[in-house]
Amino acid sequence: VRLDLATGKILDHVKFEPGNAVMISGGNNIGRVGVITHVDKHPGSFEIIHLKDSAGHAFNTRLENVFAIGKGNKPWISLPKGNGIKLSITDDRTQRMSKGK
């Protein structure tokens, strides 16, 4: 929900549907940002969300670990350092080494 703080009125809201931007708030993918591609419903078990980040990496997580942050691929909030993209071990190392020089 997006609010106007001066008047307290609701300006807009985001539905939890494929194509919207989300952030991961728990599990191994915590802090990652992506777009919902598909939702798997498993009656009696956990619902699984399939996501794709802006670098093109696909990943999955439970429904409980995800919250919507924007419509389409545009988030309504400012993103953390790295824009929520998880780097591989080698990419992270080269980035840290180049920063020190």
Side-chain angles (χ1 to χ4, degrees):
V1 175
R2 196 163 68 173
L3 296 173
D4 182 9
L5 293 177
T7 62
K9 295 195 184 263
I10 296 174
L11 298 175
D12 204 358
H13 68 282
V14 178
K15 289 187 177 181
F16 195 80
E17 59 189 15
N20 285 342
V22 294
M23 180 175 259
I24 311 300
S25 61
N28 287 337
N29 293 314
I30 193 166
R32 291 182 80 175
V33 175
V35 176
I36 300 173
T37 57
H38 180 61
V39 179
D40 284 339
K41 296 187 185 275
H42 299 284
S45 186
F46 299 106
E47 295 184 10
I48 303 296
I49 308 295
H50 298 267
L51 305 150
K52 184 176 262 191
D53 64 11
S54 60
H57 302 119
F59 57 101
N60 309 329
T61 191
R62 293 179 180 175
L63 176 68
E64 295 84 27
N65 296 336
V66 178
F67 66 95
I69 61 171
K71 288 188 178 177
N73 58 0
K74 297 285 185 186
W76 288 352
I77 62 170
S78 57
L79 296 177
K81 183 176 72 172
N83 294 328
I85 298 173
K86 185 175 184 180
L87 298 175
S88 68
I89 294 171
T90 55
D91 292 339
D92 185 42
R93 181 182 182 276
T94 55
Q95 186 180 39
R96 288 175 190 253
M97 295 298 286
S98 66
K99 201 183 277 187
K101 290 181 181 179

